[in-house]
Amino acid sequence: MKQSPADKQAFERMAPGIITAAGFLGFDERSPDRIIAEDERAFEELGLDFNNVADRLEELAHKGEAGLGEPITVGKLLVQSGDARGMLPCPWEDGFFHKNAVSVSPADTPLEACVEGEDMLIYSELSIHMLRAHHFCQGRGSPFRLEPTLLKQLLF
């Protein structure tokens, strides 16, 4: 599939230091369009819907806000929601999103025992937008990677 000029520019803005210090691709050597295609395939195989997952992540973020920065139990999950000042643009230039970080892990596992990306999700308002609007879960090794198998395991 040929890359559109808008996607090419968005992918260039995903590099470290452009929008965020770490960027959006982590140590992943796949191209962003390949990351998207492979994650779309994984979502299909896992029976996940991008909008339903984004809705669930939004719900958990809102519930986590009740903890005022401290972890709280939401069903079988431990959720911690924190905000920072400022906004981040989407690499596709279709919106600005509050800087925040939400962590979600199993409530029965101590936080210090959780490993990011293996049994703990960390995401932001921008992560939810990119998931919903662009089917972009970010690259492997990205601090805010939404690993499809972990989404399925934790959220459903």
Side-chain angles (χ1 to χ4, degrees):
M1 183 167 90
K2 185 161 171 56
Q3 202 176 84
S4 74
D7 281 346
K8 183 179 184 321
Q9 290 173 347
F11 299 159
E12 288 170 0
R13 287 188 284 274
M14 290 179 189
I18 306 296
I19 294 175
T20 67
F24 298 92
L25 302 175
F27 56 73
D28 208 325
E29 294 185 8
R30 300 175 295 167
S31 65
D33 50 346
R34 186 166 162 220
I35 293 169
I36 292 169
E38 290 180 13
D39 286 339
E40 286 176 335
R41 205 166 22 260
F43 263 63
E44 187 175 328
E45 290 169 2
L46 293 165
L48 295 174
D49 175 82
F50 285 93
N51 288 320
N52 290 343
V53 171
D55 289 345
R56 180 73 171 126
L57 293 174
E58 282 179 341
E59 174 190 353
L60 290 170
H62 291 303
K63 288 183 177 181
E65 289 170 359
L68 301 174
E70 295 298 318
I72 63 167
T73 302
V74 178
K76 64 178 182 145
L77 301 172
L78 196 60
V79 180
Q80 185 172 12
S81 200
D83 284 323
R85 294 175 75 157
M87 306 278 281
L88 290 172
C90 175
W92 279 270
E93 296 187 324
D94 59 350
F96 285 86
F97 302 88
H98 291 100
K99 286 184 181 180
N100 67 338
V102 180
S103 66
V104 176
S105 59
D108 60 357
T109 305
L111 272 178
E112 55 276 356
C114 289
V115 177
E116 182 184 318
E118 289 182 26
D119 47 13
M120 176 191 285
L121 284 173
I122 299 177
Y123 63 95
S124 68
E125 194 176 285
L126 177 56
S127 304
I128 295 169
H129 165 75
M130 291 191 302
L131 180 73
R132 185 187 309 277
H134 307 289
H135 296 183
F136 184 61
C137 297
Q138 302 189 41
R140 293 185 186 119
S142 170
F144 289 79
R145 164 90 176 141
L146 296 174
E147 186 62 48
T149 54
L150 186 56
L151 290 167
K152 175 76 173 194
Q153 173 189 331
L154 288 175
L155 305 183
F156 301 101

mmCIF file of all heavy atoms in Angstrom, residues 2 25 30 32 58 80 101 106 112 121 133 150-151:
data_model
loop_
_atom_site.group_PDB
_atom_site.id
_atom_site.type_symbol
_atom_site.label_atom_id
_atom_site.label_comp_id
_atom_site.label_asym_id
_atom_site.label_seq_id
_atom_site.Cartn_x
_atom_site.Cartn_y
_atom_site.Cartn_z
ATOM 1 N N LYS A 2 0.586 2.169 -0.880
ATOM 2 C CA LYS A 2 1.362 3.396 -0.973
ATOM 3 C C LYS A 2 1.010 4.334 0.172
ATOM 4 O O LYS A 2 -0.141 4.518 0.518
ATOM 5 C CB LYS A 2 1.075 4.080 -2.310
ATOM 6 C CG LYS A 2 1.932 5.294 -2.549
ATOM 7 C CD LYS A 2 1.957 5.650 -4.016
ATOM 8 C CE LYS A 2 2.607 6.959 -4.287
ATOM 9 N NZ LYS A 2 3.928 7.147 -3.819
ATOM 10 N N LEU A 25 7.715 5.429 18.514
ATOM 11 C CA LEU A 25 8.057 4.165 17.863
ATOM 12 C C LEU A 25 8.889 3.224 18.724
ATOM 13 O O LEU A 25 9.037 2.049 18.384
ATOM 14 C CB LEU A 25 8.774 4.444 16.540
ATOM 15 C CG LEU A 25 7.971 5.297 15.564
ATOM 16 C CD1 LEU A 25 8.793 5.622 14.336
ATOM 17 C CD2 LEU A 25 6.669 4.608 15.188
ATOM 18 N N ARG A 30 9.882 -1.725 12.642
ATOM 19 C CA ARG A 30 8.850 -1.739 11.602
ATOM 20 C C ARG A 30 8.463 -0.304 11.254
ATOM 21 O O ARG A 30 8.537 0.593 12.085
ATOM 22 C CB ARG A 30 7.597 -2.479 12.088
ATOM 23 C CG ARG A 30 7.830 -3.918 12.470
ATOM 24 C CD ARG A 30 6.581 -4.547 13.061
ATOM 25 N NE ARG A 30 6.246 -3.895 14.334
ATOM 26 C CZ ARG A 30 5.089 -4.050 14.966
ATOM 27 N NH1 ARG A 30 4.134 -4.815 14.457
ATOM 28 N NH2 ARG A 30 4.860 -3.438 16.112
ATOM 29 N N PRO A 32 5.835 2.700 10.577
ATOM 30 C CA PRO A 32 4.555 2.962 11.237
ATOM 31 C C PRO A 32 3.355 2.365 10.502
ATOM 32 O O PRO A 32 2.435 1.843 11.134
ATOM 33 C CB PRO A 32 4.477 4.487 11.274
ATOM 34 C CG PRO A 32 5.916 4.900 11.326
ATOM 35 C CD PRO A 32 6.624 3.913 10.428
ATOM 36 N N GLU A 58 -10.916 5.172 28.046
ATOM 37 C CA GLU A 58 -11.447 6.455 28.524
ATOM 38 C C GLU A 58 -12.179 6.275 29.848
ATOM 39 O O GLU A 58 -12.006 7.066 30.777
ATOM 40 C CB GLU A 58 -12.404 7.067 27.492
ATOM 41 C CG GLU A 58 -11.717 7.718 26.341
ATOM 42 C CD GLU A 58 -12.678 8.304 25.314
ATOM 43 O OE1 GLU A 58 -13.878 7.913 25.291
ATOM 44 O OE2 GLU A 58 -12.226 9.151 24.528
ATOM 45 N N GLN A 80 -4.253 4.168 38.022
ATOM 46 C CA GLN A 80 -3.668 5.399 38.539
ATOM 47 C C GLN A 80 -3.657 6.409 37.406
ATOM 48 O O GLN A 80 -3.177 6.127 36.308
ATOM 49 C CB GLN A 80 -2.253 5.153 39.044
ATOM 50 C CG GLN A 80 -1.637 6.350 39.704
ATOM 51 C CD GLN A 80 -0.308 6.015 40.369
ATOM 52 O OE1 GLN A 80 0.267 4.961 40.162
ATOM 53 N NE2 GLN A 80 0.183 6.940 41.169
ATOM 54 N N ALA A 101 -1.023 10.624 32.073
ATOM 55 C CA ALA A 101 -0.579 9.234 32.025
ATOM 56 C C ALA A 101 -1.490 8.424 32.934
ATOM 57 O O ALA A 101 -1.713 8.796 34.088
ATOM 58 C CB ALA A 101 0.865 9.105 32.475
ATOM 59 N N PRO A 106 -3.239 -5.447 36.908
ATOM 60 C CA PRO A 106 -4.119 -6.315 37.694
ATOM 61 C C PRO A 106 -4.095 -5.893 39.161
ATOM 62 O O PRO A 106 -3.023 -5.641 39.727
ATOM 63 C CB PRO A 106 -3.515 -7.712 37.525
ATOM 64 C CG PRO A 106 -2.600 -7.619 36.350
ATOM 65 C CD PRO A 106 -2.151 -6.193 36.284
ATOM 66 N N GLU A 112 4.865 -2.797 42.206
ATOM 67 C CA GLU A 112 6.307 -2.932 42.013
ATOM 68 C C GLU A 112 6.675 -4.219 41.281
ATOM 69 O O GLU A 112 7.775 -4.348 40.756
ATOM 70 C CB GLU A 112 7.069 -2.819 43.340
ATOM 71 C CG GLU A 112 6.629 -3.772 44.426
ATOM 72 C CD GLU A 112 5.420 -3.292 45.238
ATOM 73 O OE1 GLU A 112 4.933 -2.169 45.031
ATOM 74 O OE2 GLU A 112 4.966 -4.073 46.085
ATOM 75 N N LEU A 121 -0.432 -1.541 31.480
ATOM 76 C CA LEU A 121 -0.610 -0.587 30.380
ATOM 77 C C LEU A 121 -0.339 0.814 30.903
ATOM 78 O O LEU A 121 -0.734 1.141 32.025
ATOM 79 C CB LEU A 121 -2.059 -0.588 29.894
ATOM 80 C CG LEU A 121 -2.568 -1.705 29.038
ATOM 81 C CD1 LEU A 121 -4.076 -1.551 28.847
ATOM 82 C CD2 LEU A 121 -1.875 -1.714 27.698
ATOM 83 N N ALA A 133 -8.737 6.966 16.167
ATOM 84 C CA ALA A 133 -8.765 7.657 14.870
ATOM 85 C C ALA A 133 -7.828 7.053 13.831
ATOM 86 O O ALA A 133 -8.116 7.114 12.633
ATOM 87 C CB ALA A 133 -8.423 9.134 15.065
ATOM 88 N N LEU A 150 -2.215 -7.489 25.530
ATOM 89 C CA LEU A 150 -2.359 -6.977 26.888
ATOM 90 C C LEU A 150 -3.689 -6.238 27.053
ATOM 91 O O LEU A 150 -4.331 -6.335 28.108
ATOM 92 C CB LEU A 150 -1.178 -6.080 27.236
ATOM 93 C CG LEU A 150 -1.107 -5.568 28.675
ATOM 94 C CD1 LEU A 150 -1.121 -6.717 29.686
ATOM 95 C CD2 LEU A 150 0.154 -4.707 28.860
ATOM 96 N N LEU A 151 -4.110 -5.520 26.014
ATOM 97 C CA LEU A 151 -5.430 -4.877 26.057
ATOM 98 C C LEU A 151 -6.515 -5.926 26.289
ATOM 99 O O LEU A 151 -7.391 -5.742 27.142
ATOM 100 C CB LEU A 151 -5.700 -4.118 24.756
ATOM 101 C CG LEU A 151 -4.870 -2.858 24.519
ATOM 102 C CD1 LEU A 151 -5.025 -2.397 23.066
ATOM 103 C CD2 LEU A 151 -5.261 -1.753 25.484
#
